[in-house]
Amino acid sequence: MMKRYMARAAASLSLVTAFCTGCSGSGVEGHAVRPSGSFASPSREPSASTKAQIAENVKSTLEERISADEEKLGSGVDSSCSPTSPQIFTSKCQAAADAASDAAGLALREIDGRAGFATLDSSARKIQAAVRTYTSLGCATGPTAADVRRACLTPAAVIAQGFSDLRDGANLGLAGK
């Protein structure tokens, strides 16, 4: 009994010694023992000033795009996609939808999965989903069926509000939200 205890203690001590001294080779149950200097260093979070700079760059890039599109296509109640617009079922709304989707895509590429842009990410994805729905329903082709026209209203409203929602998301990105 004592021999077995001593053998276990010696084996444990040799494993601990190998681990602590950074020996490489095989360890317990076929797992490699890595030298102590090979452990990955913890990832560093970007500094607050770097995050602020990234957020400012995203906002300015997006703002440039949004402003140009809004000037040409309108936004909110002035959009051809506003549910009260007589152009909601025309190619003019489809052009606004395409521009909103492109701006949303730009936003997603700019934030590229970075933390601190949850609102912008959510808004951009919601806009892209609305554009896909608007397009798949054929809303821009002047549908005559009442149920299709009704189904077009919700995605069109999201599209009409899209530029404003992207701007708000970029502004909230400055606050890390």
Side-chain angles (χ1 to χ4, degrees), residues 153-164:
L153 295 178
T154 300
V158 171
I159 294 163
Q161 193 62 34
F163 297 133
S164 180

Side-chain angles (χ1 to χ4, degrees), residues 50-60 116-117 170 172-176:
T50 302
K51 285 181 182 179
Q53 185 62 45
I54 291 169
E56 189 58 47
N57 289 343
V58 168
K59 183 182 176 343
S60 69
F117 293 96
L172 287 169
L174 292 171

Side-chain angles (χ1 to χ4, degrees), residues 57-170:
N57 289 343
V58 168
K59 183 182 176 343
S60 69
T61 300
L62 199 53
E63 183 60 43
E64 187 176 313
R65 174 65 173 274
I66 291 170
S67 294
D69 287 340
E70 274 182 323
E71 191 173 307
K72 287 188 304 188
L73 302 166
S75 184
V77 295
D78 295 326
S79 170
S80 57
C81 292
S82 171
T84 59
S85 172
Q87 299 172 332
I88 189 172
F89 301 111
T90 69
S91 61
K92 287 189 178 195
C93 180
Q94 184 66 58
D98 293 341
S101 181
D102 289 347
L106 173 64
L108 292 171
R109 285 187 306 276
E110 287 293 314
I111 60 177
D112 192 29
R114 290 184 175 101
F117 293 96
T119 303
L120 181 56
D121 182 83
S122 174
S123 294
R125 291 181 192 286
K126 182 178 178 181
I127 292 163
Q128 288 185 325
V131 171
R132 282 191 300 273
T133 301
Y134 181 86
T135 302
S136 70
L137 289 171
C139 299
T141 62
T144 55
D147 60 331
V148 174
R149 291 175 76 85
R150 268 192 309 279
C152 291
L153 295 178
T154 300
V158 171
I159 294 163
Q161 193 62 34
F163 297 133
S164 180
D165 288 349
L166 290 172
R167 181 177 287 113
D168 290 346

